[in-house]
Amino acid sequence: AVASLAVAKDGTLYSGSWDHTVRVWDGETGVHLRTLTGHTEGVGALAIGANDTVFSGSADTTVRVWDGRDGTHLHTLAGHTHAVHALAAGREKAYSGSNDTTIRVW
């Protein structure tokens, strides 16, 4: 099941799913471009940051950072103790909210 969506400035669509993946779609044609793997639980939050950076938040308590141009995994941000359900991205920082009642600034 699809749990989260985000759209990049170029129209690329990202979907986060309970199957632990982030899927990348051509927003115009609906063609599946690639699947980003690495989370060990469902992906319930997505955000698009500066420089085509994609952030995914998961029930595995982590935020993963991806290069939106080619899907390369850049970083795993750890610090929450419960599922990440909210993400926002600014020019130089990202923010995550979790069931652990905290907001983290990255």
Side-chain angles (χ1 to χ4, degrees):
V2 175
S4 53
L5 295 170
V7 179
K9 288 180 184 178
D10 68 359
T12 302
L13 176 66
Y14 295 86
S15 62
S17 299
W18 293 119
D19 69 358
H20 313 175
T21 66
V22 176
R23 295 183 193 272
V24 185
W25 308 88
D26 182 306
E28 292 286 320
T29 66
V31 171
H32 176 254
L33 301 174
R34 71 183 63 86
T35 301
L36 311 181
T37 60
H39 282 294
T40 60
E41 298 290 338
V43 179
L46 292 168
I48 309 297
N51 301 319
D52 298 314
T53 305
V54 179
F55 297 87
S56 58
S58 172
D60 68 10
T61 75
T62 67
V63 174
R64 286 187 173 251
V65 185
W66 312 88
D67 184 326
R69 294 169 291 210
D70 63 11
T72 301
H73 174 249
L74 302 174
H75 305 286
T76 300
L77 307 175
H80 286 293
T81 58
H82 288 61
V84 176
H85 287 293
L87 284 173
R91 294 179 107 185
E92 296 183 19
K93 295 180 184 178
Y95 308 85
S96 58
S98 168
N99 280 358
D100 64 13
T101 71
T102 66
I103 296 172
R104 298 236 177 220
V105 179
W106 308 97

